[in-house]
Amino acid sequence: MNEIIIAIILGIIEGLTEFLPVSSTGHLILAGHFLDFTGEKEKTFSIFIQLGAIMAVVVYYWKRVLSILKFNFKEGLNVLHILFAMLPAVVVGLLLHELIKEYLFSPQTVIVALAAGGVLLIYAEKKNQRILTESLDELTYKQAFRIGLFQCLALFPGFSRAGATIAGGILSGANHKTAAEFSFLVAVPMMFAASGLDLAKSYEVISVSDIDMFMAGFFSAFVVALVAIMSFLKLLSKVKLTPFAYYRFALAAVVALFLL
């Protein structure tokens, strides 16, 4: 299959799944496996196109992003909330980055993570948690840090960064909308940092001839993610997290049967 077509397909998958609690990395690994697009270039491509999806957050929440960058610590959501949420995953990610990329990027590990992440989503939904926070500006630093601890689970490919942080937000007392929106905003610096680190370490696997492919994936991910963000917030208010957990279980089962 033509690499540009593969890039667009993977970009669409990334845009659809980056902000849903179903694991974009897991879907990209599985799709790459079935499209016979694997190896170091595939891993770097998958990281790069996440930037397209993250840019969709910057565009959609541009006013909120600018307010955070003003470094106003006196009221509402500010840069310290983002830093507290980033800290645990940054530390663990730096320590385990090479091990994760070398050993965990496989369909088998994704199957396990899909199932485990589904269990967390159901637990977060079923636990009778009192809602303490109903907007981003009501989040405390303690809640932000706790969400950051949950985000560490997403270092396991297939677990889902969005799933881990949204579930963590709900278990920390935030309502569904606040948990989802904070998940989106934390993703911006996290993914820029992770992508930058990975590209700096993997630039040798990219050639000039790959630019068209990488950009096709980037822009398709951006456009689809922009639509997905708006749709997901509306969907989450109606169906909550449990249907996404069932989808994860079903996908893990289908892939396991196919591989066997």
Side-chain angles (χ1 to χ4, degrees):
M1 187 181 293
N2 182 281
E3 283 196 338
I4 297 296
I5 296 176
I6 291 176
I8 293 173
I9 292 173
L10 294 178
I12 292 171
I13 292 172
E14 163 62 22
L16 282 173
T17 59
E18 178 62 45
F19 304 110
L20 299 182
V22 296
S23 175
S24 61
T25 301
H27 279 75
L28 290 174
I29 291 172
L30 295 175
H33 178 79
F34 293 125
L35 293 171
D36 197 27
F37 180 56
T38 57
E40 288 302 313
K41 186 166 77 170
E42 181 274 333
K43 294 176 184 177
T44 302
F45 174 81
S46 296
I47 295 293
F48 180 79
I49 63 174
Q50 289 177 335
L51 290 176
I54 294 306
M55 282 304 298
V57 176
V58 176
V59 170
Y60 189 75
Y61 288 102
W62 67 272
K63 290 183 179 179
R64 176 65 74 171
V65 171
L66 286 179
S67 71
I68 291 172
L69 292 177
K70 289 180 180 178
F71 295 91
N72 180 2
F73 306 118
K74 294 182 179 179
E75 57 182 47
L77 186 74
N78 62 66
V79 71
L80 284 181
H81 290 90
I82 304 298
L83 291 175
F84 278 125
M86 287 176 60
L87 183 61
V90 167
V91 173
V92 177
L94 287 173
L95 292 174
L96 302 181
H97 176 265
E98 293 301 327
L99 290 175
I100 291 169
K101 191 172 180 181
E102 183 174 356
Y103 295 110
L104 297 184
F105 275 71
S106 72
Q108 291 79 10
T109 55
V110 169
I111 291 170
V112 174
L114 282 171
V119 172
L120 176 63
L121 295 184
I122 291 176
Y123 175 74
E125 202 62 77
K126 299 298 183 183
K127 183 174 173 58
N128 186 20
Q129 180 70 40
R130 186 164 64 94
I131 295 178
L132 304 174
T133 305
E134 298 194 10
S135 73
L136 286 170
D137 291 321
E138 294 178 5
L139 274 174
T140 66
Y141 295 133
K142 181 178 180 181
Q143 286 175 308
F145 183 73
R146 189 176 179 188
I147 292 170
L149 293 175
F150 277 93
Q151 187 168 222
C152 292
L153 296 171
L155 295 172
F156 198 104
F159 202 96
S160 171
R161 193 204 59 80
T165 51
I166 293 173
I170 293 170
L171 290 170
S172 300
N175 64 11
H176 287 71
K177 184 175 184 292
T178 300
E181 290 188 319
F182 188 65
S183 171
F184 298 163
L185 291 168
V186 171
V188 175
M190 283 297 301
M191 295 312 304
F192 272 123
S195 298
L197 175 64
D198 191 83
L199 290 172
K201 293 185 176 183
S202 308
Y203 70 92
E204 70 277 0
V205 306
I206 307 172
S207 64
V208 175
S209 62
D210 294 322
I211 293 177
D212 288 347
M213 176 189 181
F214 274 61
M215 294 313 296
F218 178 94
F219 284 112
S220 57
F222 169 78
V223 173
V224 174
L226 197 56
V227 176
I229 290 170
M230 295 182 284
S231 303
F232 175 59
L233 288 174
K234 295 178 182 177
L235 185 63
L236 188 62
S237 65
K238 297 178 181 178
V239 303
K240 307 306 181 185
L241 295 178
T242 304
F244 295 103
Y246 293 151
Y247 167 79
R248 295 172 66 109
F249 296 148
L251 180 61
V254 169
V255 175
L257 288 173
F258 184 86
L259 292 178
L260 290 175

